[in-house]
């Protein structure tokens, strides 16, 4: 019997026969059929009523046991499925960056709250601004609940903007939840001399990027288009951590589309020692931590620009989203969503995150689904203007 099917019920007709003269008729009722259960024939002449009733009860119990065992076997409990198994966790970012930091901190707690406590192995799959990992999850990865992913929050929007190679529909994915919601920032190496919003107009601000479609490239393009700044992207870095290394080496001035959580988890001395500055917040409101730094929305001059900005910045409401491939069994989706919620509230994870300078804010999988549905329902002209603002050419760099 398939999981979720009506549970089989076994009943018997009332026997009113002091001398056992009536035939005992036992019937097993299931979701599929009603089948008479055989009663052993009398042996050695006239049988006592008690003996016949005992035989009927034995047949009844045996049928109930068989039906119950069948139902349990077909349902295959989540714990039995995951016990002794390994979950491969695919990241769209390279090793050593913020995504890896988050995943390695969360993995043991997520495992502990999944029935069966499967081992979770984190695997990095950077490339094409995160699209490479998403294509793998959409077309190649097992869909039985043994592979999950965490992708850049901009990746689910690639098909919306017509990025070449983004042959997937994020609305078909099963979103488990997101580890954080974050305010984007442009961050600069202080020694570069780029430290304020005004500097972005008066000087060339050279930032690193990982490929078309990634926020490190779309955000600078959007700021240039809508506000007239002079940001130049040097593309081809494998991940955000490589861009940070390039900043330290003086190859680039900074990074736009970066997140303070990523810097705090991988470069905890940067902000306290003022090694970096924040010229502008890529946000609809100021983060209190950078109260003196303006948010982009403050420079919008009309409602149309504000609407475009809302669409462009909506991925930040679901930073570091976790997903299952399309077609994942609903029971696995439900189990992993529940485990994710429990892990995010685990005191051990909260303490570990604080120690690792990692910020946590649980975003439910259902909310991620709603964010994407709203984005894909936007008017076509707004989507086009947002795409044009981000200079999305549809040709991601490998």
């Amino acid at each position: 019997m398939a999981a979720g099917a009506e549970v089989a019920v076994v009943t018997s007709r009332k026997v009113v026969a002091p001398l056992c003269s009536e035939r005992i008729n036992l019937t097993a009722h299931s979701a599929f059929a009603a089948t008479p259960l055989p009663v052993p024939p009398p042996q050695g002449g006239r049988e006592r009523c008690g003996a016949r009733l005992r035989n009927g009860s034995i047949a009844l119990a045996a049928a109930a046991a068989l039906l119950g065992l069948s139902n349990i076997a077909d349902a295959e409990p989540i714990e039995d499925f995951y016990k002794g198994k390994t979950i491969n966790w695919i990241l769209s970012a390279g090793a050593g960056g913020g995504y890896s930091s988050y995943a390695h901190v969360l993995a043991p707690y997520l495992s502990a709250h999944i029935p069966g406590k499967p081992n979770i192995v984190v695997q990095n799959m950077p490339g094409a601004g995160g699209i490479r990992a998403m294509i793998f999850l959409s077309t190649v990865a097992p869909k039985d609940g043994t592979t999950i992913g965490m992708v850049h929050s901009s990746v689910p929007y690639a098909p919306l903007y017509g990025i070449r190679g983004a042959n997937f529909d994020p609305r078909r994915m099963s979103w488990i939840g997101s580890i954080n919601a974050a305010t984007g920032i442009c961050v600069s190496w202080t020694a570069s001399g780029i430290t304020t919003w005004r500097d972005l107009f008066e000087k060339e601000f050279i930032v690193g990027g990982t490929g078309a479609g990634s926020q490190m490239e779309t955000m600078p393009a959007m700021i240039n288009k809508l506000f007239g700044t002079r940001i130049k992207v040097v593309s081809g870095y494998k991940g955000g951590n490589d861009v940070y290394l390039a900043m330290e080496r003086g190859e680039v001035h900074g990074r736009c589309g970066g997140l303070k959580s990523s810097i705090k988890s991988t470069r905890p001395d940067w902000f306290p020692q003022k090694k970096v500055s924040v010229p502008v917040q890529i946000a609809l409101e100021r983060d209190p931590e950078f109260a003196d730094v303006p948010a982009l929305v403050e420079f919008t001059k009309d409602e149309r620009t504000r609407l475009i900005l809302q669409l462009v910045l909506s991925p930040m409401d679901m930073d570091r989203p976790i997903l299952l491939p399309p077609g994942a069994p609903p029971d696995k989706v439900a189990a992993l969503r529940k485990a994710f919620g429990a892990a995010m509230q685990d005191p051990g994870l909260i303490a570990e995150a604080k120690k690792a300078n990692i910020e946590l804010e649980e975003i439910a999988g259902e909310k991620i689904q709603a964010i994407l549905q709203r984005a894909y329902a936007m008017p076509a002209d707004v989507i086009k203007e947002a795409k044009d603002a981000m200079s999305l050419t549809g040709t991601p760099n490998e």
Side-chain angles (χ1 to χ4, degrees):
M1 183 181 296
E6 180 183 345
V7 178
V9 179
V10 179
T11 61
S12 64
R13 295 181 182 176
K14 185 176 180 180
V15 179
V16 184
L19 298 177
C20 298
S21 59
E22 295 187 15
R23 177 184 176 87
I24 299 176
N25 188 7
L26 301 174
T27 304
H29 295 279
S30 75
F32 306 104
T35 305
L37 297 175
V39 178
Q43 296 181 6
R46 187 168 185 173
E47 186 183 39
R48 291 185 179 181
C49 179
R52 294 190 65 185
L53 287 174
R54 283 195 300 273
N55 289 336
S57 298
I58 292 170
L60 178 64
L66 287 172
L67 288 167
L69 287 173
S70 174
N71 186 62
I72 292 172
D74 289 342
E76 191 177 25
I78 297 296
E79 183 174 359
D80 288 350
F81 175 80
Y82 279 116
K83 189 174 183 179
K85 283 190 171 65
T86 293
I87 292 179
N88 293 313
W89 192 356
I90 306 299
L91 308 187
S92 66
Y99 275 71
S100 287
S101 297
Y102 269 83
H104 284 289
V105 169
L106 177 61
Y109 295 95
L110 182 60
S111 171
H113 288 283
I114 297 174
K117 297 179 173 55
N119 184 38
I120 296 180
V121 177
V122 177
Q123 299 180 15
N124 299 90
M125 192 179 290
I131 292 176
R132 178 189 174 204
M134 193 66 144
I135 291 176
F136 172 82
L137 290 164
S138 178
T139 61
V140 179
K143 306 182 188 308
D144 60 353
T146 59
T147 299
I148 62 176
M150 181 164 71
V151 299
H152 292 78
S153 57
S154 59
V155 170
Y157 291 78
L160 179 68
Y161 297 125
I163 298 297
R164 187 178 302 167
N167 300 320
F168 54 84
D169 186 343
R171 294 167 294 180
R172 295 182 58 243
M173 308 292 185
S174 297
W175 297 93
I176 302 304
S178 187
I179 306 176
N180 198 10
T183 299
I185 58 175
C186 281
V187 60
S188 63
W189 197 249
T190 301
S192 70
I194 307 289
T195 59
T196 70
W197 169 248
R198 181 52 52 189
D199 290 332
L200 302 188
F201 294 90
E202 298 175 349
K203 305 173 184 178
E204 186 175 64
F205 180 33
I206 303 173
V207 299
T210 58
S214 75
Q215 288 184 356
M216 282 178 275
E217 303 212 5
T218 61
M219 293 300 103
M222 180 269 295
I223 298 171
N224 285 342
K225 179 76 172 181
L226 297 182
F227 303 102
T229 52
R230 299 176 56 197
I231 307 174
K232 178 182 177 180
V233 178
V234 175
S235 191
Y237 291 97
K238 290 184 178 180
N241 186 58
D242 296 286
V243 175
Y244 291 150
L245 290 172
M247 290 169 60
E248 293 173 324
R249 292 192 297 259
E251 293 177 7
V252 296
H253 297 149
R255 168 181 171 179
C256 274
L259 303 166
K260 67 175 185 180
S261 57
S262 174
I263 293 174
K264 287 183 174 181
S265 63
T266 62
R267 307 294 196 281
D269 61 323
W270 274 17
F271 286 131
Q273 297 182 19
K274 301 188 184 302
K275 291 184 177 181
V276 292
S277 300
V278 180
V280 68
Q281 300 187 56
I282 310 174
L284 298 176
E285 60 182 19
R286 295 191 185 195
D287 184 329
E289 187 168 346
F290 305 108
D292 296 330
V293 179
L296 274 182
V297 71
E298 298 172 33
F299 304 104
T300 57
K301 297 179 180 179
D302 56 76
E303 187 59 29
R304 187 71 170 183
T305 302
R306 187 183 184 91
L307 189 60
I308 294 169
L309 199 59
Q310 286 177 344
L311 175 58
V312 170
L313 300 186
S314 62
M316 295 181 181
D317 291 332
M318 41 176 265
D319 182 43
R320 309 183 198 284
I322 301 171
L323 68 144
L324 277 165
D331 59 337
K332 307 300 190 305
V333 176
L336 290 177
R337 282 180 172 177
K338 183 177 180 181
F340 172 76
M344 290 293 287
Q345 299 301 318
D346 191 309
L349 174 63
I350 294 172
E352 187 74 17
K354 184 176 181 180
K355 186 169 62 176
N357 295 306
I358 285 177
E359 297 179 352
L360 300 176
E361 182 178 345
E362 179 185 349
I363 310 298
E366 294 86 349
K367 183 175 180 179
I368 296 175
Q369 196 74 37
I371 291 171
L372 293 174
Q373 291 289 355
R374 284 196 301 270
Y376 276 75
M378 291 288 280
D381 57 334
V382 172
I383 294 172
K384 183 180 183 304
E385 289 188 51
K387 175 182 177 179
D388 292 344
M390 292 184 284
S391 296
L392 295 175
T393 63
T395 310
N397 298 323
E398 292 292 347

